[in-house]
Amino acid sequence: MKHVIALDAGLNKYQPLKKIICYDDFDKGFNGWMDLHPNYVGKDFNTLRHSHVDKTQWGPLTLSSASFRLTGTHGSMDGTYSLKLSTRQTANPYTEAPAPGSLAHGIKRLTTHLPKGLRQYEMWYAYTPEQDRQGLSEQAMRAFGIFFDIQDDEHRYFIGARYVNAVNGEMVRRWQIFRAKEGITDVEWAYGVENDWCKMGIDAMWYGKRYPDGSTDGFEWVPDGYQDLCYNESDDKINWSYLRLLIDTEKREYVELQSGDRVFDLRGIKPTLTAPYARVKGLFNPSMWVENDTDRRVFFYADSVVISAE
């Protein structure tokens, strides 16, 4: 007997692996994506350990029709709504820890169910600072990125990519991958805090010392990773762009990063492996985030996301 499989037409703009784990079209709702908050595990929902980075003020996630003061409503790439990440109007200099509210973070909480092997994260996205003044303000966007937070039987590791757009007002436009510098201690990683919840290699979005050129103790530059992304001529216009990350969970390695028509070969590069955390065995969380570079809100829009496996 022959079987006919009908696929959503929206998948035509993706190139998924054989098994589609999820296809999140935000016209159909949040699809399990939510804000990231600290672990409220202390008495009366207070955090158990002190951290130098205040994670309680990260910007909100909303479903957005991408409406602007001058251009009206963009809608999403396919439909009306996209997932919108919004920072708050605050930022520290790049070489300091991120200010409370200077990041927005979206996460989908999954666990593994397939044999180890290739995994892929695909999305169409757009970004812009808030259209609240005249002039072109591309430099208000510091960085954005995607990653998987994975824990198997032996290790927990973050594996993903970050686009460094601007540092202290100067354009950089280079890709990085999650990979911590060797020799960094847990205390150095957490800005001098003893017994911080986070260990070296985890949560590099806001941990790890930062340097004036855009490098950090938590990321490594992608070879030949400069890319001038399409931004358009003003802050009230957005352009949808394609992003794809391919990894190997059997080898615990990067495979490829594709941004638009650029494909970066990352084969053989390994992320930073840490000891497993309690109670999160089988963790497989896809995530995205955005960070601003000035005291101005910036927005990151995800039209849809596809997570797939071989």
Side-chain angles (χ1 to χ4, degrees), residues 10-43:
L11 282 169
N12 288 331
K13 62 179 183 285
Y14 289 102
Q15 43 186 332
L17 302 177
K18 183 178 179 181
K19 297 181 184 294
I20 297 174
I21 297 174
C22 55
Y23 169 38
D24 297 334
D25 181 348
F26 297 110
D27 276 308
K28 301 175 182 177
F30 283 97
N31 294 281
W33 288 82
M34 61 181 297
D35 302 344
L36 182 71
H37 296 286
N39 297 308
Y40 293 102
V41 294
K43 183 179 179 181

Side-chain angles (χ1 to χ4, degrees), residues 111 162 212 227 284 296:
T111 57
R162 178 173 87 147
Q227 187 178 22
F284 183 68
R296 183 177 185 181

Side-chain angles (χ1 to χ4, degrees), residues 151 154-158 199-202 272-277:
Q151 180 161 310
E154 299 175 310
H155 301 284
R156 184 178 182 184
Y157 58 98
F158 278 46
K199 303 303 178 183
M200 193 275 290
I202 302 298
T272 301
L273 305 179
T274 65
Y277 279 41

Side-chain angles (χ1 to χ4, degrees), residues 148-177:
F148 290 109
D149 179 4
I150 297 174
Q151 180 161 310
D152 55 29
D153 291 337
E154 299 175 310
H155 301 284
R156 184 178 182 184
Y157 58 98
F158 278 46
I159 184 165
R162 178 173 87 147
Y163 183 75
V164 182
N165 182 64
V167 171
N168 295 334
E170 298 295 325
M171 300 303 295
V172 177
R173 299 189 178 101
R174 292 176 64 187
W175 286 101
Q176 298 174 332
I177 54 173

Side-chain angles (χ1 to χ4, degrees), residues 35-231:
D35 302 344
L36 182 71
H37 296 286
N39 297 308
Y40 293 102
V41 294
K43 183 179 179 181
D44 298 325
F45 290 100
N46 290 316
T47 51
L48 182 62
R49 295 182 178 93
H50 168 70
S51 175
H52 182 74
V53 179
D54 181 357
K55 310 177 190 71
T56 65
Q57 299 301 311
W58 288 163
L61 264 66
T62 59
L63 294 179
S64 173
S65 60
S67 295
F68 294 93
R69 183 160 56 104
L70 296 181
T71 58
T73 299
H74 286 269
S76 59
M77 180 180 176
D78 282 334
T80 301
Y81 294 104
S82 59
L83 185 70
K84 179 182 178 182
L85 283 66
S86 306
T87 69
R88 304 190 191 278
Q89 291 174 294
T90 182
N92 281 339
Y94 181 80
T95 52
E96 298 179 11
S102 62
L103 285 88
H105 190 294
I107 183 170
K108 180 163 181 162
R109 300 188 180 277
L110 302 176
T111 57
T112 56
H113 72 294
L114 297 170
K116 293 180 180 178
L118 296 179
R119 301 291 185 269
Q120 187 166 262
Y121 187 138
E122 297 177 273
M123 71 185 307
W124 283 86
Y125 71 92
Y127 63 91
T128 182
E130 186 172 24
Q131 187 205 358
D132 61 351
R133 67 199 73 178
Q134 292 181 333
L136 187 62
S137 304
E138 184 180 5
Q139 71 279 3
M141 169 73 68
R142 175 172 289 171
F144 62 83
I146 61 172
F147 64 93
F148 290 109
D149 179 4
I150 297 174
Q151 180 161 310
D152 55 29
D153 291 337
E154 299 175 310
H155 301 284
R156 184 178 182 184
Y157 58 98
F158 278 46
I159 184 165
R162 178 173 87 147
Y163 183 75
V164 182
N165 182 64
V167 171
N168 295 334
E170 298 295 325
M171 300 303 295
V172 177
R173 299 189 178 101
R174 292 176 64 187
W175 286 101
Q176 298 174 332
I177 54 173
F178 282 75
R179 183 175 164 90
K181 289 184 179 179
E182 295 184 4
I184 304 299
T185 67
D186 290 343
V187 174
E188 291 172 327
W189 183 259
Y191 301 103
V193 176
E194 297 278 354
N195 298 317
D196 190 274
W197 182 273
C198 188
K199 303 303 178 183
M200 193 275 290
I202 302 298
D203 290 339
M205 303 83 69
W206 50 77
Y207 281 119
K209 185 177 179 181
R210 298 177 168 202
Y211 301 93
D213 66 347
S215 61
T216 85
D217 285 346
F219 289 91
E220 183 177 288
W221 294 110
V222 171
D224 192 28
Y226 177 87
Q227 187 178 22
D228 193 358
L229 296 179
C230 179
Y231 180 73

